Amino acid sequence: MSLPHILLGLIAEPMSGYAIKQEFDTKLGHFWFAELSQLYPALKKLEADGLAESTAGPSSKGPPKKLYRRTDAGREELLRWLASEPGVLPIRHPYLAQVFFLGASKNPASTLAFFRELKQRLVATVQRLNAVEAGWASEDPRYPDELPEDEFYVQMTLTAGLAVHTAYCAWCDDCIARIQRRFSLA
Amino acid sequence: MSLPHILLGLIAEPMSGYAIKQEFDTKLGHFWFAELSQLYPALKKLEADGLAESTAGPSSKGPPKKLYRRTDAGREELLRWLASEPGVLPIRHPYLAQVFFLGASKNPASTLAFFRELKQRLVATVQRLNAVEAGWASEDPRYPDELPEDEFYVQMTLTAGLAVHTAYCAWCDDCIARIQRRFSLA
DNA sequence: GTTATCTATATAAGTATTTATATAGTAATA
DNA sequence: TATTACTATATAAATACTTATATAGATAAC
């Protein structure tokens, strides 16, 4: 169960649920997904468990913010998680599950379309991550190995996202070529 | 929601819940995880929805098997899923989430241990997948491009697993080297 | 000036998943 | 013959997650 720990990691400084959602959709987006409606009760539970505390904050737009910050107990719980085993489960990759059964469709043309659509999405992700990296590198001359320690590890997850999505892109190209060859398609 | 569709994919021929769990732990293990206690109600629901039907089968050991097989309606639902968009969400990679916050630990030695432990697990997965591939290639001279169509796509998921886990291994090595350099650790 | 968009929090209902537990037969092991 | 291990199904309870919906202020577009 990683979500509460991820939240504890994020709220080193006071943050609103809404701001946290934006972090998920940008910085954490290539390895974690969460709905906003999932974050509010999760934050509330951290507070109930004494791992976080909240303060009201002013908002430039809209209703007042509720800012959460981790307590010392919350920081300890975070450290426990970081010192525990690397979490490898559960793995769930919907599109690979689809590929696994693609033979049932008996329709090479639509299968090819599936892979092309997938490739497009993967390329878009690689491009987005590349842009993030380029921006970061141009803003901070310490990039990547002289970055402050916390950013040093954040940067590693960016590298991981790039490496893996690039590998998936190459795999996708290979699948497309093999399907074209096998079924004489263009 | 992919699980019901994966089950529909698997039960082209009659299969018991227990046998399905073994498929998850072997063939599908590198891209999907499911608990046995999740499979039984999921199969029951497919039957209730008219997408599968069950028959009692004899068992060599233990209580009688309950064999599920998809109906025509189930096959149609499977095809609908295969023709839909490639599923890219939700993504959840627990160990990358841990890496993201590793800076909070302020303990390069334990961080290094984390990556070494992770590397070990990744290598074990790559070795397992390599062994599967080697066995398959030696058993069937049609491997990989002349395989029957359904196995052709199954093989692609194996290729994906190998490509991605190999990329993660290289990334892990890189992270280890960077941490060693930065903190003068061996 | 009305609509759309963005900020911001929240809850209800439904679905999915995990953990714990129960049952029971067979076979090998100690 | 007692224990362990494997096959096999199943459910209850708890937790996690998704989808739909509600509220409301501020700003920008039309």
Side-chain angles (χ1 to χ4, degrees):
Chain A
M1 198 190 31
S2 306
L3 181 66
H5 293 109
I6 294 174
L7 294 176
L8 287 176
L10 290 171
I11 58 175
E13 298 305 317
M15 278 185 97
S16 70
Y18 193 85
I20 290 170
K21 171 59 174 167
Q22 291 176 317
E23 293 282 280
F24 272 99
D25 289 348
T26 53
K27 286 188 191 169
L28 290 76
H30 59 285
F31 64 86
W32 204 272
F33 174 84
E35 293 289 351
L36 191 52
S37 61
Q38 194 186 354
L39 301 182
Y40 288 115
L43 288 166
K44 198 171 258 188
K45 183 160 193 304
L46 289 180
E47 195 173 23
D49 292 347
L51 303 177
E53 52 197 10
S54 69
T55 53
S59 171
S60 50
K61 291 175 170 185
K65 291 177 182 178
K66 195 167 175 181
L67 302 170
Y68 287 88
R69 178 179 213 165
R70 70 182 178 225
T71 60
D72 288 345
R75 192 174 164 278
E76 277 164 39
E77 181 53 40
L78 173 66
L79 295 180
R80 242 192 306 284
W81 178 60
L82 295 175
S84 68
E85 301 177 332
V88 288
L89 286 178
I91 301 172
R92 288 190 184 97
H93 290 201
Y95 68 76
L96 287 180
Q98 285 168 299
V99 171
F100 193 90
F101 297 110
L102 239 25
S105 93
K106 312 279 183 198
N107 187 340
S110 79
T111 294
L112 198 54
F114 179 93
F115 276 104
R116 284 187 169 137
E117 172 69 27
L118 177 57
K119 175 76 193 298
Q120 232 175 61
R121 286 163 195 243
L122 293 170
V123 166
T125 299
V126 170
Q127 284 175 345
R128 189 175 57 76
L129 295 178
N130 267 324
V132 171
E133 173 156 64
W136 198 351
S138 73
E139 272 170 27
D140 195 331
R142 297 171 298 180
Y143 190 92
D145 280 349
E146 315 298 328
L147 288 170
E149 200 177 343
D150 54 339
E151 294 179 35
F152 181 66
Y153 294 110
V154 168
Q155 194 275 336
M156 283 178 181
T157 65
L158 177 58
T159 303
L162 271 168
V164 168
H165 282 90
T166 301
Y168 271 127
C169 275
W171 167 78
C172 222
D173 283 336
D174 188 51
C175 292
I176 289 170
R178 289 173 64 192
I179 294 165
Q180 287 176 324
R181 215 180 314 134
R182 174 163 184 149
F183 300 102
S184 305
L185 292 169
Chain B
M1 198 190 33
S2 308
L3 181 66
H5 293 108
I6 294 174
L7 294 176
L8 288 176
L10 289 172
I11 57 174
E13 297 306 318
M15 278 185 96
S16 71
Y18 193 85
I20 290 171
K21 171 58 175 167
Q22 292 176 318
E23 294 281 282
F24 272 100
D25 289 348
T26 53
K27 285 188 192 169
L28 290 76
H30 59 285
F31 63 86
W32 204 273
F33 174 83
E35 293 286 351
L36 191 51
S37 61
Q38 193 187 355
L39 302 182
Y40 288 115
L43 288 166
K44 198 173 259 187
K45 183 160 193 305
L46 289 180
E47 195 174 22
D49 293 347
L51 303 176
E53 53 197 8
S54 69
T55 52
S59 172
S60 50
K61 290 176 169 185
K65 292 177 179 176
K66 196 166 174 181
L67 302 170
Y68 287 88
R69 179 179 213 163
R70 71 183 178 223
T71 60
D72 287 346
R75 191 173 165 280
E76 277 164 40
E77 181 53 39
L78 173 66
L79 294 181
R80 243 192 306 284
W81 178 60
L82 295 175
S84 68
E85 300 178 333
V88 288
L89 285 179
I91 300 172
R92 289 187 184 101
H93 289 200
Y95 68 76
L96 288 180
Q98 285 168 299
V99 171
F100 193 90
F101 297 110
L102 238 25
S105 93
K106 311 281 184 198
N107 187 339
S110 79
T111 293
L112 198 53
F114 178 92
F115 275 105
R116 285 187 168 137
E117 172 69 27
L118 177 57
K119 175 75 194 298
Q120 232 175 61
R121 286 163 195 244
L122 293 170
V123 166
T125 300
V126 170
Q127 284 176 345
R128 188 175 58 74
L129 295 178
N130 267 323
V132 170
E133 173 156 66
W136 197 350
S138 73
E139 272 170 27
D140 195 330
R142 297 170 298 180
Y143 189 93
D145 280 348
E146 315 299 328
L147 287 170
E149 200 176 344
D150 54 340
E151 295 180 31
F152 180 68
Y153 294 109
V154 168
Q155 194 275 336
M156 283 179 180
T157 65
L158 177 58
T159 303
L162 271 167
V164 168
H165 282 89
T166 301
Y168 271 127
C169 274
W171 167 78
C172 222
D173 283 336
D174 189 52
C175 291
I176 289 170
R178 289 173 65 192
I179 294 165
Q180 286 177 324
R181 212 180 316 133
R182 175 163 185 149
F183 301 103
S184 306
L185 291 169

